[in-house]
């Protein structure tokens, strides 16, 4: 993993009203000097669970490298980072988070995706990208958003958003991790969106075999790609030194699958 950056992105801050977390300060990353007309869509990132030490800082470096890659890409992408507000201790903290299937974090993710659609248009491609424990939460948010889309189509209403793909970095599919995040798994496994899973070969929570087995289940209904980073563990993959490599994998995959986006 090497640290390279082509240029500095343009970053703006926006206030988003959340259903259950007050005001979310979201940071929007775009290629410096690039016009919005050249942007293929928006990637909404969901950082690792703050209860376990994760935070927006885990996704900022990745956002910089996706918006300003070292190599030329067919399309450019806007990236949004934001800080998930977990349940405070006086409201049950981590215990309530686990019991409620991280409903607070999931709802905040849904609110940010809906804001993207309102700001950039309902026909604007949106990709959800979750890192570590943020990946299961992003997956459940995806399921809720897709369910709403299906309801709108049945009622012949205009869709509120256009969710187009899902990306997971270090998804916590392992046996021990399933104790905390297992109830999110079905949302990802049954989703009809194309998916990319990026994981370190030495991930401490999920083995390569476990990931491949889950990916094989999904491939019955949708295209699923898996990228394994050699000799890298779970936390190393989240570190700034791996951001350029992960960003390139994300962009290369989006170049491939976005040709099928409507």
């Amino acid at each position: 993993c090497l640290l390279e950056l082509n240029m500095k992105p343009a970053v703006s801050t926006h206030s988003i009203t959340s259903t259950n977390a007050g005001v979310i300060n979201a940071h929007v990353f775009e290629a410096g000097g690039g016009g919005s007309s050249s942007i293929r869509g928006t990637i909404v990132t969901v950082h690792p669970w703050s209860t376990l030490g994760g935070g927006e800082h885990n996704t900022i470096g990745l956002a910089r490298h996706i918006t300003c890659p070292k190599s030329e890409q067919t399309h450019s992408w806007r990236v949004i980072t934001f800080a998930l507000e977990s349940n405070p201790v006086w409201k049950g903290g981590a215990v309530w988070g686990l019991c409620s299937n991280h409903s607070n974090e999931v709802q905040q993710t849904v609110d940010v995706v809906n804001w993207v659609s309102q700001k950039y248009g309902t026909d604007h491609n949106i990709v959800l990208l979750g890192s570590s424990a943020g990946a299961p939460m992003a997956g459940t948010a995806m399921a809720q958003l897709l369910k709403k889309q299906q309801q709108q189509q049945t009622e012949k209403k205009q869709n509120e958003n256009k969710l187009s793909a899902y990306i997971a970095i270090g998804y916590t599919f392992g046996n021990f991790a399933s104790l905390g995040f297992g109830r999110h798994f079905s949302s990802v496994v049954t989703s009809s969106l194309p998916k990319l899973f990026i994981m370190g070969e030495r991930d401490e929570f999920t083995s390569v075999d476990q990931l491949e087995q889950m990916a094989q289940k999904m491939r019955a209904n949708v295209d699923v790609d898996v990228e394994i980073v050699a000799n890298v563990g779970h936390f190393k993959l989240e570190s700034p030194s791996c951001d350029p490599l992960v960003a390139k994998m994300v962009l290369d995959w989006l170049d491939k699958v976005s040709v099928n986006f409507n």
Side-chain angles (χ1 to χ4, degrees):
C1 298
L2 300 174
L3 186 60
E4 293 180 337
L5 192 63
N6 190 29
M7 65 182 76
K8 288 186 177 180
V11 185
S12 57
T13 302
H14 302 262
S15 297
I16 301 172
T17 301
S18 174
T19 305
N20 62 359
V23 176
I24 297 172
N25 290 319
H27 297 98
V28 178
F29 292 73
E30 296 180 347
S36 60
S37 60
S38 64
I39 293 176
R40 187 71 173 89
T42 297
I43 300 171
V44 175
T45 65
V46 182
H47 66 69
W49 196 21
S50 59
T51 301
L52 299 178
E56 186 180 6
H57 63 276
N58 292 114
T59 53
I60 287 177
L62 188 59
R64 289 173 175 160
H65 285 278
I66 289 175
T67 51
C68 297
K70 187 70 175 178
S71 59
E72 292 296 325
Q73 298 290 331
T74 303
H75 301 295
S76 63
W77 291 84
R78 177 187 297 110
V79 182
I80 293 182
T81 69
F82 66 101
L84 284 169
E85 182 177 311
S86 296
N87 223 49
V89 175
W90 60 274
K91 284 188 176 181
V95 173
W96 175 248
L98 295 172
C99 292
S100 67
N101 210 26
H102 310 96
S103 59
N104 279 351
E105 291 88 345
V106 169
Q107 184 58 54
Q108 291 165 56
T109 303
V110 169
D111 291 338
V112 172
V113 170
N114 286 333
W115 175 85
V116 170
S117 294
Q118 293 168 10
K119 183 168 180 62
Y120 301 111
T122 55
D123 61 345
H124 183 77
N125 289 305
I126 300 173
V127 176
L128 267 173
L129 184 156
S131 177
S132 187
M137 299 174 196
T140 297
M142 169 179 62
Q144 293 185 10
L145 290 160
L146 291 176
K147 183 178 180 180
K148 184 69 176 294
Q149 284 184 10
Q150 292 171 354
Q151 291 174 345
Q152 290 167 340
Q153 291 170 358
T154 300
E155 298 169 2
K156 297 183 178 179
K157 296 180 180 179
Q158 183 179 11
N159 287 339
E160 292 180 2
N161 59 69
K162 187 181 176 185
L163 201 57
S164 301
Y166 170 84
I167 299 170
I169 302 168
Y171 196 107
T172 50
F173 274 131
N175 294 331
F176 180 74
S178 69
L179 298 175
F181 305 100
R183 287 191 293 161
H184 292 285
F185 293 177
S186 62
S187 295
V188 172
V189 172
T190 60
S191 165
S192 59
L193 293 185
K195 304 176 187 70
L196 170 65
F197 291 89
I198 302 172
M199 193 181 80
E201 182 183 28
R202 298 180 178 177
D203 191 284
E204 293 87 351
F205 299 101
T206 306
S207 70
V208 173
D209 286 344
Q210 286 172 323
L211 176 59
E212 288 289 358
Q213 288 171 11
M214 295 299 286
Q216 194 58 39
K217 291 181 181 179
M218 301 179 217
R219 289 184 179 121
N221 302 312
V222 69
D223 290 335
V224 177
D225 289 294
V226 173
E227 293 281 358
I228 302 299
V229 182
N231 301 317
V232 168
H234 184 91
F235 299 104
K236 176 68 173 179
L237 193 62
E238 295 176 358
S239 68
S241 63
C242 283
D243 287 340
L245 176 60
V246 173
K248 186 178 187 307
M249 289 178 172
V250 167
L251 289 169
D252 288 347
W253 182 76
L254 286 173
D255 269 354
K256 181 181 75 171
V257 301
S258 63
V259 297
N260 297 317
F261 292 173
N262 296 323

